[in-house]
Structure formats: C-alpha cells, structure tokens
Amino acid sequence: MEIQEYIDEAERDLLHTYNRYHLVIDRGEGMNLYDIEGKRYLDFVAGIAVFALGYGVKEYNDALKEQIDKVIHTSNYYYNVPAIRAAKALKEVSGMDRVFFTNSGAEAIEGLLKTARKYGYLRDGKTDHEIIALNSSFHGRTYGALSVTGNAAYRAAFAPMIGNIRFADMNDLDSVKALVNDRTIAVLFETVQGEGGIRPANEEFIKGVRELCDENNMLMMLDEIQCGMGRTGYMFAWQKFGVKPDAMAVAKALGCGVPVGAFLMNEKTGANSLKAGDHGTTYGGNPLACAAVCKVLELFEQKDLLNHVREVTPYLEEKLEGIKDRFDFIKERRGSGLMQGLEFDRPVGPVIEKSISKGLIVINAGKNVLRFVPPLVVEKSHIDEMADILIESIQETL
Ligand SMILES: *Cc1c(COP(=O)(O)O)cnc(C)c1O
C-alpha cells in the first residue's frame, strides 16, 4: 500500500484525536527513522523523549525477546524477578525508597495524587486537601492528571475536574506561598516543563518549594516524566539542585518504548500513604516492562549516557543560539541538557512540516515553541545535520 492509502485508512479507522504529520514510520536505526518507502529521517523527537538509547539497540531488543520467551505477564499478586531488579535499580539511581510501576506517565501522576490525598488523610483525618500545581504544566490526559494540568484548553470540555487543585506560576515562589493554607498537602510540578514550552524550574524556586513543604508538612512531588532519565545530564533533573522531592513520577524513557512508568517516594511518604488495598494495576510492573527498565538502566550506565549528554549539550545549545540569532522572529532559546526549545513569535507548525519533508523530525511544545528532545545518543554530526535542515526549512517557510 502507498503512504497516502495508509493515511486515508488510518483517518477512517482511528479516532481523530491527533492531527498527524504526513509520515508512516516503518523502522528505526540509531538516530534515524525510516518510512515505509525507505526514506530516512533524522529524529530529534525520539517518540517525545522516549527512545533515549536510539533505535535498534541489539542488547535491548535481545533482553526483551528473552523475557518474551520466559513470561510476559504474571500478576501483581505474585513476585517477579524483573520487577524486583528494576525497582532496586531505580532506587539506586533516584535515591528514593519505594517504587510503584505503572503503564504510563498519566498513571504515575494519578499515583502521586492518591499518595498526596492519603498522606493528608493520615495527617489530619480530613479529605478536604488542596494540591498546588503550576500554570502551563502538563501531567497527562486522565482525570487526575488533567486536573493538575495548567492548560485550560486541555480541560475546558471535560469539567468538572477533580477538586481542590490550585495553580501557581513556575519560578514564582510567592505565587506558591500565597496559595498555602492548612489544607494544602502537596506541591506538584515538572522540574523542566515540557509541553508547556520547555521551561526549566530554577534553583531558587525548587529550593524554596522544598523549604515550604518541610515547614508545612506537605509533599514536594516532581513530574520527571519528560525531563528525567538522563535528559538533562542528570538521571533526574532535580539532582542538579541538591534537594530531593518526597515523591516523583517517571515514564517516557524509563522503558525506552515499552509502555512503563513509575511513581517513587521516600520512606516517610511510603510509610504514611498508600497501603495494601489502596492502589493497584493489572499490567503495571509486569515482567516484560520491567525487563525493559532493567536493561535501559544497565545500558545508561554502560554507555555512560549522562556524561555523553553533558558533553553534547553545549554544542546543541550553541547551534540553537546560532539559529536564534539568524532569525529575528526567534525570540528565545531555553532548556536543560537535551531538552531544548526555540520560541518563535509565531506558530512553528509550518516549519515542522517543512523539516519533515526534508528528512528531519522535530516537534512543537505549545504553538510557538520548537522542541528538541533527541535520543540521548545524539552526536555532534547529527546536530550539524539537524541545524542545516532546520535553517533551510525556516528559510523556505517564514
Ligand atoms: C508525557 C507526559 C506525561 C503523560 O505521560 P503519558 O505516558 O502520555 O500518560 C505527564 N507529564 C509529563 C511531563 C509528560 O511529558
């Protein structure tokens, strides 16, 4: 079948919840994806910060195949070795104490919300607790996750949301303080906001929220779903700041393509929140997903990926600054590590379409921000190729 025939069929059969690009992907290798006609695309999206290792990594594929031949799924009523190993490895890289595996990022956020409410219930026996989230945040599409997502357009048609969520502003500690009262039980935010336009939290804000949570017996909960797993040159973006959250959510690159997320917490939070019977999942933490997590964490170490990210980041930043300086309608470059954005004074959709037609996959983060979240194995030569195609694409569109 031809590309257009596939697309027509997809548009007949799939619920139209995405405006998709004209691209039918067939396979991947390293930093590249190939469409069904064999055309190569340099990938600076990585399935939205998922495929950290690049495509077609033999050890990863072999580990999954081996697990498939053993057993794919059991049940959380029994123990399985991959889950035990994955939890241990995740504790080691995060410094957290307790792990609950989910199937997605949104579910990891749901877990954090339930953790916060239960913590509050045990704190003072009430169920009227408030959670502070941030404007221009993104935490997922399920009801809880959507309720803490600070983007009215995503929420409007689906009200009512879950109650008692308040919104403050990123990097504005006073706006958080102004919302704190006896009922406040948690502050939840992305260490680097992703969908909301690639906005890193600064040190003052993170440390300030930490202090505020300590003073008021509230939980500091970080969404590391996009910015975690090495993307910023730290395993988790908060590790740069010498503070620790009470609980955090991980997903996206955690399984590098196998659907798996997790929420993690320190011992204090674990001991004072969810107990047997409070939460569960059929698939979450199944042997296949956890075999992926184990292999991903192993390969991160083997490939020394954190150091690699730190090494290539300045080069990517410099290239993006150069592109920004060339065009006066590009207002700002911002980001952390291999999670970067270029903010335009206009929608970036046409630039993305042009780039894809020229063999470069990039994506937006909000209407006006071009987002760069390549596989973490990206090399300088890929950054050069990306920059060349992007400059051409901008010149030909705007
Ligand atoms: C992608 C994302 C989510 C939601 O994850 P899903 O797996 O799509 O449910 C939540 N928070 C952040 C920061 C994300 O980038």
Side-chain angles (χ1 to χ4, degrees):
M1 250 163 57
E2 302 276 310
I3 287 179
Q4 193 55 52
E5 289 174 85
Y6 275 115
I7 290 176
D8 291 343
E9 185 155 315
E11 291 304 335
R12 274 195 300 274
D13 300 343
L14 293 169
L15 189 65
H16 189 88
T17 53
Y18 285 92
N19 290 318
R20 293 183 163 89
Y21 293 99
H22 195 93
L23 183 54
V24 183
I25 294 171
D26 183 43
R27 63 187 186 89
E29 201 184 306
M31 282 287 299
N32 298 313
L33 287 169
Y34 294 83
D35 72 12
I36 56 170
E37 291 178 346
K39 182 177 168 187
R40 179 178 78 90
Y41 298 83
L42 176 63
D43 181 19
F44 266 67
V45 175
I48 312 201
V50 169
F51 242 100
L53 300 168
Y55 301 99
V57 175
K58 189 172 182 320
E59 296 115 298
Y60 171 85
N61 293 353
D62 286 347
L64 293 185
K65 288 173 194 166
E66 197 179 306
Q67 187 59 49
I68 286 170
D69 287 339
K70 276 187 171 171
V71 65
I72 293 175
H73 180 80
T74 55
S75 157
N76 279 313
Y77 282 104
Y78 319 109
Y79 298 97
N80 77 72
V81 174
I84 294 166
R85 290 206 179 122
K88 181 163 187 273
L90 205 45
K91 279 176 57 170
E92 267 166 24
V93 293
S94 66
M96 293 280 125
D97 301 311
R98 297 277 168 180
V99 182
F100 183 103
F101 287 109
T102 66
N103 310 290
S104 67
E107 282 170 85
I109 297 295
E110 298 293 330
L112 291 185
L113 298 177
K114 282 181 74 174
T115 298
R117 284 190 166 175
K118 182 75 190 285
Y119 186 86
Y121 183 69
L122 295 177
R123 188 184 74 174
D124 48 32
K126 294 185 181 158
T127 54
D128 59 352
H129 297 98
E130 296 180 359
I131 293 171
I132 300 175
L134 298 186
N135 290 312
S136 48
S137 60
F138 180 83
H139 298 292
R141 302 296 198 145
T142 54
Y143 260 103
L146 196 57
S147 298
V148 286
T149 288
N151 180 334
Y154 287 165
R155 295 199 312 254
F158 306 103
M161 298 286 108
I162 71 163
N164 292 10
I165 309 296
R166 307 282 173 258
F167 288 95
D169 291 318
M170 174 62 111
N171 293 334
D172 181 352
L173 189 59
D174 288 338
S175 74
V176 179
K177 282 184 181 165
L179 296 175
V180 174
N181 62 53
D182 294 351
R183 298 191 305 277
T184 314
I185 196 61
V187 183
L188 166 68
F189 61 98
E190 299 154 84
T191 322
V192 182
Q193 286 187 337
E195 310 299 310
I198 313 294
R199 294 169 210 279
N202 62 36
E203 179 161 6
E204 189 193 349
F205 184 74
I206 291 185
K207 289 191 162 159
V209 170
R210 181 65 273 175
E211 244 172 67
L212 198 60
C213 288
D214 289 338
E215 286 163 5
N216 296 281
N217 192 10
M218 309 184 306
L219 301 177
M220 174 172 168
M221 304 194 303
L222 293 179
D223 181 342
E224 289 265 343
I225 290 169
Q226 189 163 155
C227 63
M229 293 301 293
R231 183 133 303 268
T232 65
Y234 293 81
M235 202 60 188
F236 298 105
W238 56 263
Q239 288 169 331
K240 185 175 168 182
F241 300 103
V243 295
K244 241 166 121 171
D246 296 296
M248 63 187 272
V250 194
K252 290 205 160 85
L254 179 60
C256 278
V258 172
V260 58
F263 61 98
L264 290 77
M265 60 191 79
N266 58 22
E267 197 60 49
K268 179 193 86 170
T269 309
N272 294 289
S273 61
L274 303 177
K275 288 279 144 9
D278 279 341
H279 199 53
T281 164
T282 298
Y283 288 139
N286 86 10
L288 180 64
C290 287
V293 174
C294 289
K295 190 47 85 174
V296 167
L297 290 172
E298 199 183 306
L299 289 172
F300 261 67
E301 180 135 344
Q302 240 178 56
K303 292 173 184 280
D304 200 12
L305 268 190
L306 298 184
N307 276 323
H308 177 72
V309 170
R310 289 176 198 188
E311 230 174 80
V312 292
T313 291
Y315 194 72
L316 175 61
E317 287 179 341
E318 185 191 311
K319 278 278 165 177
L320 293 178
E321 285 291 338
I323 294 172
K324 187 201 88 179
D325 291 342
R326 270 175 102 113
F327 302 102
D328 56 8
F329 46 81
I330 303 182
K331 287 160 41 183
E332 195 185 10
R333 177 202 63 82
R334 53 176 185 257
S336 180
L338 295 181
M339 183 171 176
Q340 296 283 334
L342 282 180
E343 178 161 6
F344 286 51
D345 69 359
R346 61 196 73 182
V348 294
V351 175
I352 295 173
E353 272 172 37
K354 181 61 84 175
S355 296
I356 290 176
S357 76
K358 289 176 175 292
L360 168 68
I361 300 180
V362 282
I363 202 160
N364 62 310
K367 256 201 166 61
N368 293 357
V369 176
L370 207 52
R371 165 169 37 175
F372 304 84
V373 284
L376 302 184
V377 294
V378 65
E379 299 285 354
K380 288 178 182 173
S381 59
H382 303 120
I383 295 172
D384 288 337
E385 187 186 355
M386 177 277 290
D388 290 346
I389 300 177
L390 184 61
I391 289 166
E392 262 182 47
S393 303
I394 296 172
Q395 279 166 342
E396 288 175 30
T397 1
L398 299 173

